[in-house]
């Protein structure tokens, strides 16, 4: 875990079942799930014929990295303790994206069963090596004894190898393949022992990498950046390094300033991959930290970027950023943005990355905007409906600490969730199926067929920031009567905000909705109108600011 740094996790909306008894014969069925987003920013900024929306991946898709092979682009993001791990997307134009799966989709690759929700998978890097026609995904896994590791494949659509544990400390590893076939790994690390100067002082280290042994070469490690651009200014958290080669020079791009309000992207140059590296005179090349906090359509905390040459032979950069709600709280997590990059001079600069960012971008020439059509990932305001009648579960549905397949069953009636004897506050695999919150203003509705047999059984919807901060809304039983309950958990301490006795046949509709920081939980009995339970509650515990 990164000490004294913002660990940001978003709101996850989930269909859940909790039990503390053997309830395998009483299994709830969920159907007719509808997620609907309706943000003002999209209503007030309708797309023109030559525009698309930024971010390109809404909701929690942080720490993006991107690789190119021919006309194919592959993008990955952090996944922490969610299962499967490391979502991977494909595009031919950098605008329209299709999720093709997850890189870490087997228990042999991902061991997060006993770790906190914001631990485990940090900052993946993906690269294609043309010399052996192989893709590499290198990442830090803070769980299962892995540490830094790498997986490989010839085809990202066909699955990835089991992990190879790498023999070095630190975080945020990235791999670089030079023109001569040699390979290198760079990463964030602590300064040499006894040389720590201040809190947040970190270094960037490089190693030679043996492609035959898939291991760093012992003794080749070297510190190439100490602290950041200007050590005298005590820069914090130099991290997320990537090396690029252009016009015979080697460029090292890193995030600097921590993951909060001082986040930025900086760049260095050298004539040798092992350094020494000199910072550009115009750093940072991307940041939003200098603008008023009350600016319209605020995008903040931008950084952790990666560069790629687009199909138009121009450079583009993907990076993370946040869009806080009306209370300046972060409930949708770190999202993936893209900007064109001007590299006409010696150093690259993100176009319009040093001025307040806009919600739309110009389409590259010849590209048609297809978001939300067919398999293309939706963008802007959209509605996603799920009846769970397909043999294969949509990739946007994820589990926590354990595979979805361990507790779900797709039936003719809908999705069965076989309950684990565990609740959302425990650091164990949970019988919960999650969907990201992707808008500030949204609703998430489902139909539940279930009649709990005891007060030890509970099923419904949970809105989760972590195991210590969440809302639980669902159906339970007490004294031979059924109740709908709303529970708030803050700092691990739970309180029932509201409960009501209900009389229903077999099915009940449940809904959570938000307008900015105001959340409401409602239910409908036997096909009737929705009725609110607990009034309007704050989204504070679902935000990074509080949780």
């Amino acid at each position: 875990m990164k000490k004294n740094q913002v660990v940001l996790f978003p709101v996850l909306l989930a269909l859940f079942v909790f039990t503390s008894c053997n309830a395998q014969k009483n299994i709830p069925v969920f159907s007719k799930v509808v997620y609907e987003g309706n943000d003002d920013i999209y209503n007030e900024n309708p797309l023109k014929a030559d525009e698309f929306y930024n971010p390109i991946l809404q909701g929690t898709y942080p720490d993006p990295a991107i690789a190119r092979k021919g006309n194919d682009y592959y993008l990955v993001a952090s996944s922490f303790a969610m299962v499967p791990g490391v979502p991977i997307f494909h595009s031919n134009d950098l605008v329209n994206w299709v999720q093709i799966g997850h890189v870490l989709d087997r228990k042999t690759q991902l061991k997060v069963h006993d770790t906190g929700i914001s631990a485990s998978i940090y900052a993946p890097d993906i690269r294609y090596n043309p010399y052996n026609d192989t893709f590499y995904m290198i990442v830090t896994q803070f769980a299962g004894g892995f540490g830094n590791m790498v997986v490989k494949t010839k085809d990202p659509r066909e699955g990835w190898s089991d992990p190879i544990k790498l023999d070095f400390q630190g975080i945020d590893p990235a791999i670089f393949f030079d023109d001569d076939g040699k390979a290198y790994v760079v990463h964030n690390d602590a300064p040499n022992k006894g040389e720590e100067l201040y809190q947040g002082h970190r270094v960037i280290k490089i190693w030679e990498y043996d492609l035959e042994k898939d291991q760093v070469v012992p003794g080749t490690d070297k510190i190439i950046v100490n602290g950041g651009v200007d050590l005298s200014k005590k820069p914090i958290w130099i991290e997320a390094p990537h090396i690029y080669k252009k016009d015979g020079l080697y460029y090292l791009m890193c995030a600097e300033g921590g993951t909060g309000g001082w986040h930025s992207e900086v760049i260095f140059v050298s004539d040798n991959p092992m350094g020494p590296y000199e910072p550009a005179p115009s750093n940072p090349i991307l940041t939003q930290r200098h603008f008023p906090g009350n600016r319209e359509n605020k995008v903040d905390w931008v950084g952790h970027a990666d560069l790629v040459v687009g199909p138009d032979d121009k450079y583009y950069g993907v990076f993370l950023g946040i869009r806080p709600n009306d209370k300046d709280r972060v409930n949708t997590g770190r999202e993936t943005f893209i900007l064109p990059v001007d590299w006409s001079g010696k150093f690259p600069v993100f176009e319009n990355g040093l001025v307040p960012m806009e919600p739309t971008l110009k389409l590259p020439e010849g590209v048609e905007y297809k978001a939300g059509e067919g398999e293309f990932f939706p963008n802007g305001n959209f509605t996603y409906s799920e009846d769970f009648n397909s043999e294969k579960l949509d990739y946007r549905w994820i589990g926590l600490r354990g595979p979805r397949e361990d507790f779900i069953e797709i039936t003719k009636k809908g999705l069965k969730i076989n309950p684990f004897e565990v609740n959302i506050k425990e650091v164990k695999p949970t019988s919960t199926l999650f969907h990201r919150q992707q808008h500030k203003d949204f609703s998430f509705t489902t139909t539940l067929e279930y009649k709990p047999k005891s007060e030890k059984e509970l099923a419904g919807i949970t809105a989760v920031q972590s195991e210590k901060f969440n809302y639980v809304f669902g159906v339970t039983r007490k004294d031979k009567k059924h109740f709908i309950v709303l529970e708030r958990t803050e700092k691990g301490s739970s309180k029932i905000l509201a409960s009501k006795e209900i009389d229903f046949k077999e099915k009940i509709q449940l809904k959570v909705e938000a307008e900015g920081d105001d959340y409401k939980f409602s239910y409908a009995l036997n096909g009737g109108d929705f009725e609110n339970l607990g009034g309007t509650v704050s989204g504070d515990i679902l935000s990074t600011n509080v949780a």
Side-chain angles (χ1 to χ4, degrees):
M1 188 70 70
K2 305 178 182 182
K3 296 181 179 178
N4 296 302
Q5 207 182 9
V6 177
V7 177
L8 179 58
F9 209 78
V11 178
L12 294 172
L13 311 165
L15 312 176
F16 79 88
V17 186
F18 303 147
T19 182
S20 57
C21 63
N22 187 350
Q24 295 301 315
K25 293 182 180 180
N26 187 32
I27 300 173
V29 177
F30 293 88
S31 60
K32 298 180 181 178
V33 175
V34 179
Y35 174 92
E36 185 173 5
N38 189 32
D39 282 351
D40 288 343
I41 191 170
Y42 298 119
N43 295 326
E44 295 168 359
N45 294 274
L47 288 176
K48 298 176 183 177
D50 62 345
E51 292 181 335
F52 68 103
Y53 284 125
N54 211 13
I56 51 174
L57 301 181
Q58 294 166 224
T60 178
Y61 294 98
D63 308 331
I66 192 168
R68 178 182 182 180
K69 177 187 178 182
N71 295 323
D72 295 303
Y73 295 86
Y74 298 93
L75 186 150
V76 294
S78 290
S79 55
F80 307 99
M82 306 313 296
V83 181
V86 187
I88 181 167
F89 294 82
H90 171 266
S91 177
N92 293 120
D93 53 28
L94 301 179
V95 172
N96 303 295
W97 293 90
V98 175
Q99 186 169 359
I100 60 172
H102 292 80
V103 176
L104 306 177
D105 58 7
R106 304 190 301 277
K107 291 182 179 180
T108 55
Q109 299 171 311
L110 196 62
K111 297 185 182 296
V112 297
H113 57 279
D114 58 356
T115 190
I117 198 171
S118 60
S120 193
I121 296 295
Y122 282 73
D125 176 50
I126 186 171
R127 287 293 182 268
Y128 173 67
N129 184 0
Y131 299 98
N132 60 6
D133 188 29
T134 301
F135 287 87
Y136 292 71
M137 195 283 292
I138 185 171
V139 72
T140 306
Q141 181 170 182
F142 277 113
F146 276 117
N148 292 303
M149 60 180 231
V150 66
V151 294
K152 304 188 298 181
T153 185
K154 294 289 186 179
D155 184 351
R157 295 178 181 273
E158 297 298 325
W160 296 70
S161 70
D162 277 346
I164 301 165
K165 183 176 171 60
L166 299 173
D167 190 19
F168 60 89
Q169 301 299 309
I171 60 172
D172 294 9
I175 197 163
F176 168 68
F177 304 109
D178 206 348
D179 297 336
D180 58 5
K182 291 183 179 180
Y184 304 85
V185 167
V186 287
H187 62 95
N188 161 302
D189 208 343
N192 292 330
K193 191 173 183 179
E195 297 180 6
E196 304 90 344
L197 299 178
Y198 51 86
Q199 191 69 38
H201 177 202
R202 302 289 289 181
V203 303
I204 299 298
K205 188 175 285 187
I206 191 169
W207 302 72
E208 294 180 15
Y209 187 81
D210 188 326
L211 289 168
E212 295 297 324
K213 297 179 179 179
D214 273 312
Q215 191 57 257
V216 292
V217 179
T220 61
D221 57 308
K222 178 182 179 183
I223 293 174
I224 52 177
V225 173
N226 183 14
V229 169
D230 185 348
L231 188 60
S232 68
K233 294 182 179 179
K234 297 183 177 180
I236 62 170
W237 285 101
I238 191 77
E239 58 186 354
H242 294 288
I243 291 178
Y244 312 93
K245 190 173 186 180
K246 183 175 183 290
D247 300 331
L249 295 175
Y250 298 87
Y251 292 85
L252 173 69
M253 191 173 74
C254 308
E256 185 186 280
T259 53
W262 205 247
H263 207 197
S264 70
E265 200 71 15
V266 296
I267 196 152
F268 307 78
V269 67
S270 177
D271 58 7
N272 189 301
M274 298 291 288
Y277 283 86
E278 296 294 327
S282 56
N283 279 314
I285 59 173
L286 169 69
T287 190
Q288 295 285 287
R289 66 191 180 199
H290 298 300
F291 310 120
N294 61 350
R295 63 189 181 274
E296 188 178 7
N297 298 334
K298 181 179 178 180
V299 177
D300 212 352
W301 302 10
V302 302
H304 202 117
D306 195 10
L307 303 178
V308 71
V309 178
D312 55 3
D313 290 327
K314 298 178 181 178
Y315 277 87
Y316 292 84
V318 292
F319 55 96
L320 68 81
I322 57 109
R323 296 183 296 164
N325 65 23
D326 54 313
K327 296 288 180 63
D328 207 34
R329 291 177 177 145
V330 184
N331 290 40
T332 47
R334 292 174 292 178
E335 305 174 291
T336 289
F337 293 77
I338 192 169
L339 281 177
V341 173
D342 182 352
W343 207 338
S344 57
K346 183 176 181 180
F347 294 101
V349 176
F350 286 74
E351 294 183 17
N352 297 318
L354 298 172
V355 297
M357 288 178 57
E358 298 291 334
T360 62
L361 287 174
K362 293 287 186 182
L363 285 167
E365 187 174 349
V367 174
E368 180 183 351
Y369 185 56
K370 300 177 182 178
E373 298 179 10
E375 294 185 327
F376 289 110
F377 204 70
N379 209 337
N381 284 332
F382 58 84
T383 298
Y384 166 65
S385 299
E386 178 63 78
D387 291 325
F388 299 114
N389 55 13
S390 299
E391 292 184 6
K392 187 176 180 181
L393 192 63
D394 193 284
Y395 289 129
R396 72 190 76 197
W397 294 102
I398 47 181
L400 174 58
R401 303 188 192 93
R404 304 163 298 179
E405 293 74 18
D406 285 356
F407 60 86
I408 67 168
E409 181 184 349
I410 296 176
T411 71
K412 292 181 179 180
K413 288 186 175 182
L415 182 84
K416 282 187 178 181
I417 294 186
N418 297 292
F420 294 160
E421 293 187 26
V422 63
N423 66 54
I424 200 66
K425 294 187 288 183
E426 297 181 77
V427 184
K428 298 177 180 178
T430 60
S431 45
T432 47
L433 190 64
F434 289 95
H435 185 288
R436 294 163 174 83
Q437 179 180 333
Q438 298 177 288
H439 298 81
K440 301 170 192 175
D441 299 350
F442 76 93
S443 65
F444 180 81
T445 307
T446 187
T447 298
L448 169 63
E449 184 175 344
Y450 180 56
K451 279 208 169 181
K453 302 296 185 183
S454 78
E455 62 186 25
K456 295 182 178 181
E457 298 178 33
L458 175 66
I461 294 176
T462 179
V464 173
Q465 209 279 345
S466 74
E467 52 272 2
K468 294 182 178 180
F469 296 87
N470 53 73
Y471 285 104
V472 167
F473 177 59
V475 178
T476 188
R477 182 183 176 100
K478 185 177 182 180
D479 298 330
K480 298 182 180 180
K481 298 178 181 179
H482 290 105
F483 288 84
I484 182 83
V485 298
L486 175 62
E487 179 185 78
R488 173 185 166 103
T489 296
E490 182 174 4
K491 298 180 180 178
S493 178
S494 301
K495 178 182 179 182
I496 299 293
L497 298 184
S499 67
K500 185 177 180 180
E501 183 183 346
I502 55 173
D503 181 20
F504 68 108
K505 296 176 181 178
E506 291 293 335
K507 296 183 179 180
I508 182 172
Q509 288 181 283
L510 302 173
K511 177 167 65 174
V512 56
E513 55 191 326
E515 291 184 6
D517 195 60
D518 293 333
Y519 283 68
K520 293 180 180 179
F521 295 84
S522 306
Y523 66 97
L525 299 175
N526 307 318
D529 295 333
F530 277 96
E531 182 176 340
N532 173 251
L533 183 73
T536 299
V537 299
S538 175
D540 55 354
I541 62 167
L542 303 177
S543 72
T544 301
N545 317 56
V546 172

